[in-house]
């Protein structure tokens, strides 16, 4: 399984990668929500963990992920 972590704090991304390493085969972690559509496009992400408190607008991140759970039947985890 592959998870996508989106958080603007590098320390949070690093910590989540360590914590989730035993649960997921692959972990992609990015700090810019504008990258979300390109990463989700291939359809190989099983779960998304999305920080909704970005320094840039949270609505941009939510919009970038809109439709992901419904179209791919994967859970979206929001912190």
């Amino acid at each position: 399984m592959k998870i996508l972590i989106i958080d603007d704090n590098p320390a949070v991304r690093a910590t989540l990668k360590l914590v989730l390493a035993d649960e997921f085969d692959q972990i992609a972690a990015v700090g810019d929500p504008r990258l979300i559509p390109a990463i989700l496009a291939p359809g190989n992400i099983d779960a998304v963990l999305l920080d909704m408190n970005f320094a840039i607008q949270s609505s941009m991140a939510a919009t970038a992920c809109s439709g992901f759970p419904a179209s791919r039947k994967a859970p979206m985890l929001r912190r």
Side-chain angles (χ1 to χ4, degrees), residues 8-75:
D8 55 345
N9 185 324
V12 171
R13 289 194 310 268
T15 301
L16 287 170
K17 286 173 80 170
L18 288 171
V19 169
L20 296 172
D22 289 339
E23 302 299 323
F24 291 91
D25 300 320
Q26 295 180 321
I27 300 173
V30 297
D32 186 343
R34 293 172 290 199
L35 300 174
I36 295 170
I39 295 170
L40 293 181
N44 62 349
I45 300 291
D46 300 299
V48 174
L49 190 131
L50 174 62
D51 175 7
M52 296 302 289
N53 296 311
F54 276 92
I56 60 174
Q57 292 182 350
S58 295
S59 61
M60 181 192 312
T63 300
C65 278
S66 65
F68 171 72
S71 65
R72 298 212 175 57
K73 306 293 185 215

